[in-house]
Amino acid sequence: LAKTTQPISMDSYEGQEVNITCSHNNIATNDYITWYQQFPSQGPRFIIQGYKTKVTNEVASLFIPADRKSSTLSLPRVSLSDTAVYYCLVEDDKIIFGKGTRLHILP
Amino acid sequence: NAGVTQTPKFRVLKTGQSMTLLCAQDMNHEYMYWYRQDPGMGLRLIHYSVGEGTTAKGEVPDGYNVSRLKKQNFLLGLESAAPSQTSVYFCASSYAPYEQYFGPGTRLTVT
């Protein structure tokens, strides 16, 4: 069972780049790494997914080192609306969301 | 497309009552999931389905039953509600076991 560990909370300021790191030491060969965002009173929303190296979309970048034991979600130039909880998942046969990282963006 | 919809949005039950939560998706997804989220906590998987007519247990299945008679619908049943089942319930669907699309949630209170 690939368990993930991420910081409980983070603060940042508008316009800065935010990096949230997730560790997953027991990740299996076939597992993908997926990040979700959740606003209060809403269901989570898929942000990005990757297997290795770097993945980028219009919302974020995902950096995965060669050993795949960790991953970093990078949010460029955050705004107040990026205040949310961010979940890192390793998609094996057990889907475990964990408590996520509460990101608070300050003006 | 409506995406993933959940019915009802809110419900109050008394201990021992039963109810069914309905999840519907119009994306032709094979996989569907039911989660619960307690205040300040992450989501916990209750049951899931990998296709029409199939169901499987997740992390916290006790006290719940599910059925997937049609591909687009996934029902979550509580046969005898308990206060410990007070939570927000989210349904999700996906094409493969990645990139899940979530519904708006059902807020259930059991008194």
Side-chain angles (χ1 to χ4, degrees):
Chain A
L1 177 60
K3 184 178 177 180
T4 60
T5 302
Q6 32 180 145
I8 293 174
S9 65
M10 295 179 65
D11 290 339
S12 187
Y13 290 95
E14 276 193 298
Q16 293 192 334
E17 178 184 78
V18 172
N19 295 311
I20 305 174
T21 298
C22 177
S23 66
H24 25 79
N25 292 321
N26 297 323
I27 190 169
T29 303
N30 296 330
D31 292 342
Y32 279 74
I33 300 151
T34 310
W35 286 80
Y36 289 84
Q37 175 192 56
Q38 185 179 27
F39 297 114
S41 301
Q42 294 185 25
R45 181 177 74 106
F46 172 86
I47 301 176
I48 197 167
Q49 183 179 76
Y51 183 79
K52 62 180 179 181
T53 63
K54 177 183 175 182
V55 180
T56 297
N57 62 23
E58 64 277 5
V59 177
S61 294
L62 179 59
F63 298 92
I64 305 168
D67 66 6
R68 304 200 328 121
K69 293 185 183 299
S70 68
S71 59
T72 299
L73 175 72
S74 181
L75 304 172
R77 298 181 298 281
V78 293
S79 65
L80 295 176
S81 62
D82 291 316
T83 293
V85 179
Y86 292 82
Y87 297 97
C88 163
L89 276 74
V90 171
E91 300 276 12
D92 58 5
D93 60 343
K94 295 288 185 183
I95 301 170
I96 306 293
F97 264 80
K99 295 184 180 181
T101 297
R102 291 187 175 275
L103 177 64
H104 187 205
I105 305 302
L106 304 167
Chain B
N1 288 347
V4 179
T5 58
Q6 294 183 230
T7 308
K9 290 185 171 53
F10 303 93
R11 186 71 186 269
V12 179
L13 286 179
K14 294 186 177 177
T15 298
Q17 287 185 321
S18 63
M19 77 164 295
T20 301
L21 281 66
L22 172 63
C23 176
Q25 52 97 1
D26 61 2
M27 296 174 281
N28 202 34
H29 286 164
E30 291 292 337
Y31 293 72
M32 295 189 74
Y33 314 81
W34 275 108
Y35 295 89
R36 63 175 288 174
Q37 185 171 37
D38 300 321
M41 303 291 288
L43 284 80
R44 292 185 291 171
L45 182 64
I46 304 172
H47 286 280
Y48 65 100
S49 167
V50 300
E52 181 179 317
T54 73
T55 63
K57 295 180 180 179
E59 184 184 1
V60 289
D62 294 341
Y64 305 95
N65 57 75
V66 288
S67 65
R68 183 99 181 268
L69 298 180
K70 292 182 178 180
K71 186 177 184 178
Q72 64 268 34
N73 296 337
F74 196 29
L75 278 63
L76 177 71
L78 286 73
E79 290 186 348
S80 180
S84 60
Q85 294 177 305
T86 293
S87 190
V88 179
Y89 291 84
F90 289 103
C91 175
S93 70
S94 63
Y95 177 69
Y98 312 122
E99 193 172 349
Q100 297 177 39
Y101 292 81
F102 283 80
T106 294
R107 191 172 298 273
L108 175 66
T109 301
V110 182
T111 62

